[in-house]
């Protein structure tokens, strides 16, 4: 699929004599490439801008260039470097009053802060992005709206998230930003699937929600195929395996899970993956393998910071232990699962109050 956003940025770059306007368009193109997993093209665009200006970067260009570099780092899963680079871009824009870059920098910082669980900082930067962005600053407003929608989803309030997902769609569609639409579709599906999976481990009925999760995941996967994106490409098979596990298609889920390159995945994705592999194996009659993967999930659980993930992993280990008649171990893990679930519900309420206060 041809990108309308990229075509617009190329047109802006080729039709202007203003070097700052040209550089901003090329930097935005670099971010576009990064979000589609096209690292080589992103680096080329960044290199062109650096070569043109040399060591004496224009202040506004410097902010847009560092923002593009930060976005590239983020989609290489180099989160610390991404945040550091974008924070520098933001600080420079604030100090030198290059206001065009401030909303997008603030929105991207909020995005990373959301992923890292720094919710108070996230809320501060969300407020700044929304108050400083012009009505037609679709990049900043789409990213900020996505963070807000995801935050409402995380707080357990999908109905409050929906209007913000609509805003994401409106702003991203206004300039043909397929990568942001892709992220929105993925997040909607992933949050619902995670909620269904958690409900499933605690014995709740979630048939209708499971069907919605499947439909949303299919939409996300088909859209990514249509636009040819490969950003954070490991997420798609994880989502597919999650849906298959929910549908109790354990053999199909296991094929996908076994194909993942575990050494290249972020540490925090491993405990739920190992818990899923344990659950699939116990349901396929592979008792020894199931307990082995349950042990690996337990060994890696320290990488988790989100209480819902902890509740899920502990609950799955408890289920596997029960199936193996290891009732003492099952009881211990279920106690920890319930404690984590209680903390998660308290966190959801707190986050919802904070969101309502600023919005």
């Amino acid at each position: 699929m041809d990108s309308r956003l990229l075509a617009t940025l190329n047109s802006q770059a080729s039709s202007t004599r203003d070097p700052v306007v040209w550089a901003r368009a090329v930097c935005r193109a670099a971010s576009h490439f990064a979000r589609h997993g096209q690292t080589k093209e992103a680096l080329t665009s960044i290199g062109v801008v650096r070569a043109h200006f040399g060591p004496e970067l224009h202040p506004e260009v410097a902010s847009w260039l560092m923002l593009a570099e930060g976005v590239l780092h983020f989609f290489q899963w180099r989160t610390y470097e991404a945040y550091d680079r974008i924070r520098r871009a933001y600080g420079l824009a604030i100090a030198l009053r290059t206001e065009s870059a401030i909303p997008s920098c603030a929105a991207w910082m909020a995005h990373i802060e959301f992923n890292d669980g720094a919710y108070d900082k996230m809320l501060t930067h969300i407020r700044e992005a929304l108050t400083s962005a012009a009505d037609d600053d679709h990049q900043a407003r789409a990213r900020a709206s996505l963070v807000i929608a995801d935050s409402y989803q995380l707080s357990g309030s999908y109905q409050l998230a929906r209007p913000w997902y609509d805003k994401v769609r409106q702003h991203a569609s206004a300039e043909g930003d397929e990568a942001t639409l892709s992220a929105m579709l993925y997040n909607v599906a992933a949050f619902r699937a995670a909620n269904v999976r958690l409900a499933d481990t605690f014995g709740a009925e979630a048939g209708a929600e499971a069907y919605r999760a499947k439909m949303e995941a299919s939409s996300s996967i088909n859209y990514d195929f249509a636009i040819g994106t490969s950003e954070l490409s490991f997420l798609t098979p994880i989502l597919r395996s999650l849906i298959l596990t929910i549908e109790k298609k354990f053999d199909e889920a296991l094929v996908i899970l076994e194909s993942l390159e575990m050494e290249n995945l972020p540490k925090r994705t491993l405990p739920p993956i190992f818990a899923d592999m344990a659950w699939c194996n116990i349901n396929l009659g592979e008792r020894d393998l199931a307990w082995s993967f349950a042990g690996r999930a337990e060994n890696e659980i320290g990488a988790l910071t989100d209480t819902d993930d902890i509740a899920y992993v502990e609950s799955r280990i408890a289920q596997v232990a029960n199936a193996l008649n290891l009732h003492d171990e099952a009881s211990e893990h279920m106690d920890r699962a319930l404690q984590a679930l209680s903390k998660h519900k308290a966190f959801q309420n707190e986050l919802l109050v904070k969101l309502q206060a600023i919005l």
Side-chain angles (χ1 to χ4, degrees), residues 267-313:
K267 293 292 186 183
R268 66 186 182 189
T269 65
L270 296 180
I273 288 173
F274 291 143
D276 286 343
M277 296 180 80
W279 185 237
C280 289
N281 274 291
I282 200 67
N283 281 280
L284 294 171
E286 298 290 344
R287 296 166 65 87
D288 291 341
L289 270 176
W291 193 236
S292 174
F293 280 115
R296 294 179 70 178
E298 183 176 8
N299 290 339
E300 298 285 348
I301 204 167
L304 298 178
T305 55
D306 292 338
T307 46
D308 57 335
D309 285 338
I310 296 171
Y312 172 72
V313 172

Side-chain angles (χ1 to χ4, degrees), residues 63 87-99 101-102 128:
S63 287
R87 183 175 58 183
R88 289 173 183 269
Y90 169 81
L92 186 64
I94 292 289
L96 299 178
R97 299 181 182 276
T98 54
E99 296 180 358
I102 291 174
E128 182 168 21

